[in-house]
Amino acid sequence: MRKVTRFFWFCSGAHVETLKKYPIEHNKYVGIGATIFFTALFACLSGGYAMYFVFSGSAFAVGFAIIFGLIWGTAIFNMDRYIVSSINKEGTINQQILQASPRILLAIMIGIVISRPIELKIFDKEIREKLKVAYNKGQHRKIDTLEKTYQQKYAMELGKNTDYKKESDSLTKDINRSRAQLNQEVFGSKTDQTSGIVGYGTYAKQKQAVLQEKEDRLKTVMTDQDKMDQYLAQRKGFEGLNDVRLFSDHQLDSLANIAGFADRNWALGQLGYNDDGSRNLDTYLAESFISYLFILFECLPVFVKLMSPKGPYDVALAKIAEANIHYAERDKERDINVTDSVYDHNLDADINKRKRLISGQSDYDIEKHRYD
């Protein structure tokens, strides 16, 4: 139990040796430290989960997720620990709030960053369905775009092919009608279009010639149409239309499984809206409450530190800080005095050395002048 308590004290950023002297403060800093620790734990999980989808499909995705999660959790832990430990209880309430406001803003940003990957996991099922719908719509748009481009690029050929089909249908109807008239002419059926004379006579031969002409024309049109169909089929393959198909359910499941962080984050944002663009209030509130929960969880240590009254640990810590400042000032004075003394000593040594040199030079000059 002592080890756990000391660990949470360490997490809170408290000065352990000072805190041990004041038992009334122990529980408060255990709570602050536990909040910071579990915030870092959630950050580790959310960061690892986000990184897993960044490297989704790679053989090292799990390893990268674990490494990044540990690094991210440690970074959040260090920031939270610094934020809480840097707030002191000196000054008025307004001064404390003003001092803590940048730290609260930072805590809010950290809470938002932490909550997003957790939301992705909570709404995983809904995100997969939204991604499937999006991928299916995207495939439809791709096919429509290719089809539109194809029709614009080969508009003349498609027009000719349509004319061939229309002519072919018209010729087929005429041939059937002409063949019926020929049969009526041969069998002597009297109509507006036949003579009523039985046998293969002049009128029958004329109708046979017209029928043959139409059949020859139909063969020519059908041949041209087949050539055009083959050409357009080749162009479809060249333009990629033959290779694009709507996704099957199995393919949609696979795409949703390997979707990256950006796609899943986009899908999570779309969950807050209906198909007609209106706000889906239920999903939006659920996402918002999760975000607010993590923001509150992240800001909680700062709020606890601000709301708690000034305790003996805070007073002792302030006194230690004053003592350390005083010690630093005295240490500075000592260093200045030492520096001045050393400088004066060096200065005296240099002056004496210069005097000896000048005296020696003067004695040398006097002796030299004597000999001269």
Side-chain angles (χ1 to χ4, degrees):
M1 190 65 184
R2 288 184 179 180
K3 291 182 178 180
V4 175
T5 300
R6 290 179 66 89
F7 173 72
F8 286 141
W9 286 351
F10 167 77
C11 293
S12 69
H15 189 267
V16 176
E17 298 302 322
T18 304
L19 183 59
K20 286 195 298 185
K21 300 176 183 178
Y22 306 100
I24 196 174
E25 299 276 56
H26 290 183
N27 290 336
K28 180 174 75 174
Y29 283 91
V30 167
I32 293 174
T35 305
I36 293 174
F37 171 75
F38 285 110
T39 302
L41 182 61
F42 282 124
C44 179
L45 294 175
S46 65
Y49 182 75
M51 190 56 58
Y52 175 77
F53 282 102
V54 171
F55 292 98
S56 181
S58 172
F60 303 101
V62 176
F64 285 135
I66 293 174
I67 293 173
F68 180 80
L70 291 174
I71 295 174
W72 180 243
T74 304
I76 297 299
F77 172 78
N78 184 62
M79 278 192 283
D80 284 345
R81 190 169 179 269
Y82 166 74
I83 289 172
V84 174
S85 63
S86 61
I87 299 175
N88 60 61
K89 301 299 293 182
E90 299 299 317
T92 63
I93 297 296
N94 292 333
Q95 290 174 339
Q96 293 179 35
I97 294 175
L98 183 63
Q99 178 194 17
S101 57
R103 294 162 175 82
I104 293 174
L105 292 176
L106 181 59
I108 292 173
M109 294 177 63
I110 293 174
I112 294 173
V113 172
I114 290 174
S115 64
R116 198 59 174 179
I118 300 296
E119 291 174 13
L120 292 176
K121 184 59 180 176
I122 294 173
F123 294 98
D124 182 65
K125 182 179 179 180
E126 291 80 4
I127 288 172
R128 288 175 183 271
E129 294 302 320
K130 179 65 72 172
L131 286 174
K132 290 179 184 179
V133 173
Y135 289 149
N136 215 10
K137 288 182 179 179
Q139 193 71 352
H140 272 292
R141 286 195 297 269
K142 183 178 180 180
I143 293 174
D144 292 342
T145 301
L146 289 174
E147 186 67 34
K148 185 178 180 180
T149 303
Y150 169 78
Q151 290 179 356
Q152 291 176 348
K153 194 171 183 179
Y154 301 101
M156 185 174 66
E157 290 82 354
L158 289 169
K160 286 184 179 179
N161 200 35
T162 302
D163 293 339
Y164 287 147
K165 290 180 180 179
K166 289 180 179 178
E167 187 176 359
S168 174
D169 293 339
S170 178
L171 285 170
T172 301
K173 292 179 181 179
D174 287 344
I175 288 171
N176 292 334
R177 187 166 48 250
S178 297
R179 187 175 286 116
Q181 291 176 3
L182 177 61
N183 291 333
Q184 289 173 348
E185 184 67 38
V186 171
F187 291 107
S189 299
K190 178 64 177 174
T191 64
D192 294 339
Q193 302 294 329
T194 59
S195 63
I197 302 173
V198 179
Y200 192 73
T202 303
Y203 293 108
K205 290 179 181 179
Q206 289 177 352
K207 292 186 180 298
Q208 177 67 41
V210 173
L211 176 61
Q212 186 63 45
E213 182 181 353
K214 291 180 179 179
E215 287 178 344
D216 292 339
R217 176 57 186 169
L218 179 60
K219 290 180 180 178
T220 302
V221 171
M222 293 294 290
T223 301
D224 292 339
Q225 184 180 345
D226 289 340
K227 291 180 179 178
M228 186 60 71
D229 285 338
Q230 292 176 4
Y231 173 76
L232 290 174
Q234 291 176 352
R235 293 296 90 190
K236 274 190 175 183
F238 178 78
E239 297 294 336
L241 273 170
N242 294 335
D243 300 328
V244 181
R245 296 286 186 276
L246 291 176
F247 293 127
S248 65
D249 291 339
H250 178 71
Q251 288 174 321
L252 288 172
D253 288 335
S254 299
L255 289 172
N257 288 334
I258 64 173
F261 183 81
D263 285 350
R264 297 177 68 82
N265 187 57
W266 171 85
L268 178 60
Q270 293 300 310
L271 289 177
Y273 297 91
N274 296 314
D275 293 336
D276 58 358
S278 61
R279 176 71 75 178
N280 187 337
L281 192 59
D282 294 336
T283 306
Y284 174 74
L285 290 177
E287 293 179 28
S288 301
F289 285 146
I290 294 172
S291 299
Y292 297 152
L293 177 63
F294 277 94
I295 291 172
L296 177 62
F297 197 70
E298 178 66 25
C299 296
L300 191 60
V302 180
F303 292 152
V304 169
K305 192 72 178 287
L306 287 175
M307 290 186 299
S308 61
K310 186 176 182 179
Y313 168 77
D314 299 307
V315 176
L317 202 62
K319 297 300 181 182
I320 291 174
E322 291 179 6
N324 287 337
I325 293 172
H326 179 71
Y327 181 82
E329 293 292 339
R330 297 293 296 170
D331 202 38
K332 173 185 174 182
E333 293 177 4
R334 185 199 65 183
D335 291 340
I336 291 174
N337 292 331
V338 169
T339 301
D340 291 341
S341 298
V342 171
Y343 184 83
D344 292 339
H345 176 75
N346 291 335
L347 181 62
D348 293 339
D350 287 341
I351 292 173
N352 293 330
K353 183 178 179 181
R354 293 288 182 89
K355 286 181 178 180
R356 289 196 300 269
L357 288 175
I358 293 172
S359 299
Q361 184 66 36
S362 300
D363 294 340
Y364 174 77
D365 291 339
I366 292 172
E367 290 294 330
K368 185 178 179 182
H369 181 70
R370 181 184 301 170
Y371 287 114
D372 291 342

